[in-house]
Amino acid sequence: MKIIRMKNVQMRYPNGEGLKQVNLTVEQGEFVFLVGPSGAGKSTVLKLIYMQERPGLGQVQVGQFNSAKIRPRDIPYLRRQLGIVFQDFRLLEDRNVFENVAFALRVIGTRPKEIKKRVLRVLGDVGISHKRYQMPYHLSGGEQQRVAIARALVNEPMVLLADEPTGNLDPQTAEEIMQLLEEINMRGTAVLMATHNYDLVKRYNHRVVRIEGGVTLD
Amino acid sequence: MRTLLFVLKESLSGIHRAKFSAALTILTVSISLLFVGIFYVGGKNVLRIVQEIRGRVGFEAFVDNTATEADIQRLQEQLSQIAGIDSIEYISREQAIEVFKTLFDDTFLNVVEENPLPASFQLFLNPAYVREDSSRAVLRRVAALPGIDEVVYRERVLQRLIQVFDTMRNVLIGLGALFGVLSFVLVSNNIRLTIAARRRIIETLELVGATRGMVWGPFVIQGILEGLIGGALAGMALWALLRVFSWLLEISLRMPPEAFLSLIALGLTYGFLGAMLTVQRRL
């Protein structure tokens, strides 16, 4: 079953850059690499999926949400079904690891007891529960990315969108994060990972979608 | 309910995390609202003083020395029928000399054989007739009465004073409005800075599926709280200031009962509108 479908999507930023022709599908439980050089449009594809941007032409379907029909007030409900991680981790510097992950649950009104249970479980899953009371600035890059992944997973999303998740990490830590994403995928969560690191992609046996100059080449 | 608690907690934590900026905003809002209060209460007190002065404005109508008791009775009746005269006080020749003695050196009186002072009527105007044209009309009617020797309109200075006070009141009200706008701009600016400082948390909120109300809520509540506290502080400071000035100047400066609540309501409104406007434009 397809959980993401982008068909003949075009999108243009005011500066003239954007996407010319994007076709992309992600099946339930699948791991897909979206590869391409910097500026090829990888991040824009992800933004279209979590509907921070809307296509000029074509349609983006994510679960039951369609870019042509979705109302702005429904976008938060789409995002609650997605987990999103970035190269720069985007953790809240003013709260500890536990609170960073719990934040995603507090926003959707989860009961405090449930929050504690789920946060501890997901922190255990990403191997960082021993640092749950530490502040983000006391953690290494790899540890911070684990916290970001935990935050993305705590809502049990249908797909994890990862925008260059290893871009700021040394090769060994990048490998550890890749292993973690593999495990997450093996547990059933679909992963769509944008990266420009071809060497890393070659080591994993997953479907690769290339994007160049705003055009996808499957 | 949990969502509301989350929004409230986030707004309190926003204030707590930017204590200095929040304190500065509250302080500046309370100072500018204090000015609003000063101008409002000042304007009110000026108005009260003007009313009191208006109540005191009147004429002195001197009675012909040949007038008999019956003439005076008749004059009093005629005067009481003139529209615009609020109260009439008769001062007999004997009373006039007594007043003179209390005010001046009475050696002068020893050289004159007879009481030189005439009897008079002190006529107090209704405040509605204090305007120059209407008071002149009253004056003409009084002067035309037979038995009235001369009418002295002694309040020209007071008229001028009233004009000055009227201008003062208008200026005070205008300045109050100006400082009100300043409070609004201050809250709005502080919320803008808070939004800039909390850009990361806003992004995170949006990414993890926070609704628009949850993203806006903390900032709007922060604006309301800052305005509310600023208004309450301004009310308290105004009350203290009036006490001090009353004591220093030995005059009664009253704080109108609605002033305190009005300042709080004004702070709340400015806080809410300032925050809403900024949030709508920036988020």
Side-chain angles (χ1 to χ4, degrees):
Chain A
M1 192 178 91
K2 290 180 177 58
I3 51 173
I4 296 175
R5 189 168 53 211
M6 300 177 81
K7 202 172 173 192
N8 297 325
V9 170
Q10 293 181 28
M11 201 222 91
R12 191 166 290 276
Y13 286 117
N15 65 4
E17 291 178 358
L19 304 177
K20 290 175 186 153
Q21 176 90 16
V22 169
N23 289 291
L24 172 76
T25 57
V26 176
E27 298 277 343
Q28 195 170 24
E30 195 183 12
F31 196 127
V32 179
F33 283 116
L34 179 64
V35 296
S38 297
K42 303 185 293 294
S43 296
T44 307
V45 169
L46 298 186
K47 281 179 184 172
L48 283 162
I49 293 170
Y50 60 82
M51 297 199 190
Q52 185 164 318
E53 302 289 351
R54 300 289 191 98
L57 279 175
Q59 286 187 13
V60 181
Q61 180 81 34
V62 184
Q64 79 262 36
F65 298 97
N66 186 291
S67 62
K69 295 174 193 156
I70 194 167
R71 294 171 298 182
R73 67 165 183 260
D74 290 330
I75 291 175
Y77 301 97
L78 155 76
R79 291 184 183 167
R80 290 175 192 187
Q81 297 186 25
L82 306 172
I84 310 168
V85 292
F86 297 93
Q87 180 175 352
D88 58 355
F89 323 127
R90 301 200 187 175
L91 298 177
L92 303 173
E93 293 293 324
D94 58 0
R95 45 200 95 190
N96 64 25
V97 166
F98 183 95
E99 279 306 319
N100 260 281
V101 179
F103 189 77
L105 293 172
R106 294 197 201 284
V107 164
I108 59 170
T110 310
R111 289 192 353 254
K113 219 172 163 183
E114 180 72 10
I115 290 176
K116 192 173 178 189
K117 199 172 90 184
R118 281 166 68 175
V119 172
L120 289 177
R121 190 178 63 211
V122 77
L123 286 175
D125 288 347
V126 301
I128 199 90
S129 60
H130 60 294
K131 299 215 167 171
R132 60 184 175 272
Y133 298 123
Q134 301 247 359
M135 298 303 278
Y137 46 79
H138 286 139
L139 303 179
S140 69
E143 288 168 334
Q144 289 190 52
Q145 194 58 293
R146 283 174 189 270
V147 179
I149 292 170
R151 184 177 64 192
L153 290 177
V154 74
N155 267 336
E156 294 165 359
M158 60 180 172
V159 60
L160 181 70
L161 305 175
D163 192 357
E164 302 274 9
T166 59
N168 271 356
L169 306 174
D170 62 75
Q172 194 193 327
T173 312
E175 194 58 42
E176 287 169 15
I177 292 299
M178 275 311 298
Q179 285 302 326
L180 179 60
L181 294 176
E182 282 279 297
E183 283 168 29
I184 289 162
N185 179 241
M186 294 221 292
R187 283 186 221 135
T189 307
V191 178
L192 175 61
M193 176 173 157
T195 180
H196 63 268
N197 188 342
Y198 292 93
D199 294 337
L200 186 136
V201 170
K202 274 186 233 162
R203 291 202 295 277
Y204 294 87
N205 187 24
H206 295 306
R207 186 157 68 89
V208 177
V209 176
R210 282 196 301 136
I211 181 166
E212 276 174 30
V215 179
T216 47
L217 314 156
D218 213 340
Chain B
M1 187 63 192
R2 265 192 291 272
T3 309
L4 194 71
L5 273 176
F6 172 84
V7 168
L8 197 64
K9 257 173 104 174
E10 279 302 312
S11 67
L12 289 176
S13 103
I15 293 175
H16 178 71
R17 288 193 171 103
K19 283 188 275 277
F20 183 70
S21 157
L24 207 65
T25 305
I26 290 170
L27 190 72
T28 43
V29 166
S30 63
I31 289 172
S32 55
L33 283 179
L34 176 63
F35 276 105
V36 174
I38 288 172
F39 299 140
Y40 175 73
V41 172
K44 274 258 180 183
N45 276 289
V46 166
L47 191 70
R48 183 171 60 85
I49 291 166
V50 166
Q51 292 292 358
E52 274 177 19
I53 289 172
R54 282 185 168 163
R56 278 184 225 146
V57 172
F59 307 105
E60 213 161 352
F62 292 101
V63 181
D64 194 326
N65 273 350
T66 60
T68 61
E69 281 292 317
D71 291 336
I72 288 164
Q73 282 286 330
R74 179 182 45 80
L75 273 172
Q76 192 142 15
E77 263 172 45
Q78 284 172 327
L79 286 169
S80 66
Q81 280 161 14
I82 295 176
I85 293 177
D86 224 20
S87 63
I88 302 164
E89 196 183 329
Y90 176 67
I91 295 170
S92 67
R93 299 182 68 189
E94 292 72 30
Q95 282 169 321
I97 202 89
E98 286 309 311
V99 172
F100 187 90
K101 281 179 184 168
T102 58
L103 294 175
F104 306 104
D105 182 2
D106 60 359
T107 48
F108 152 76
L109 292 173
N110 297 333
V111 295
V112 293
E113 288 177 4
E114 206 185 330
N115 177 0
L117 299 177
S120 65
F121 287 102
Q122 301 280 331
L123 307 171
F124 295 96
L125 284 179
N126 182 316
Y129 281 78
V130 177
R131 283 182 39 202
E132 204 161 345
D133 47 349
S134 38
S135 59
R136 279 188 183 283
V138 177
L139 182 139
R140 275 197 299 274
R141 289 191 64 186
V142 174
L145 290 175
I148 294 293
D149 197 23
E150 192 188 358
V151 182
V152 177
Y153 185 32
R154 57 184 160 78
E155 307 298 352
R156 195 141 292 166
V157 177
L158 282 180
Q159 281 280 4
R160 180 83 193 116
L161 209 60
I162 286 169
Q163 272 180 8
V164 171
F165 276 165
D166 272 350
T167 315
M168 241 167 85
R169 190 192 60 196
N170 291 339
V171 169
L172 288 178
I173 288 169
L175 283 173
L178 194 74
F179 275 90
V181 172
L182 186 66
S183 317
F184 172 79
V185 172
L186 284 169
V187 171
S188 175
N189 189 52
N190 178 252
I191 297 294
R192 188 176 61 81
L193 292 175
T194 312
I195 287 174
R198 305 190 78 201
R199 187 49 72 185
R200 174 53 55 89
I201 203 166
I202 294 166
E203 279 172 10
T204 310
L205 276 164
E206 286 171 344
L207 285 177
V208 297
T211 56
R212 182 177 259 213
M214 291 173 84
V215 179
W216 285 22
F219 298 106
V220 176
I221 289 179
Q222 185 179 336
I224 289 175
L225 285 177
E226 286 174 357
L228 200 74
I229 298 170
L233 285 178
M236 287 190 270
L238 181 63
W239 178 81
L241 213 63
L242 285 174
R243 291 291 296 255
V244 170
F245 272 94
S246 293
W247 177 69
L248 280 178
L249 303 174
E250 292 180 356
I251 52 168
S252 138
L253 289 170
R254 293 177 208 152
M255 175 129 165
E258 75 279 6
F260 189 75
L261 284 179
S262 300
L263 282 175
I264 291 180
L266 208 61
L268 189 145
T269 310
Y270 284 144
F272 172 73
L273 290 179
M276 274 305 279
L277 190 83
T278 316
V279 158
Q280 271 180 330
R281 284 171 56 189
R282 304 272 163 179
L283 290 180

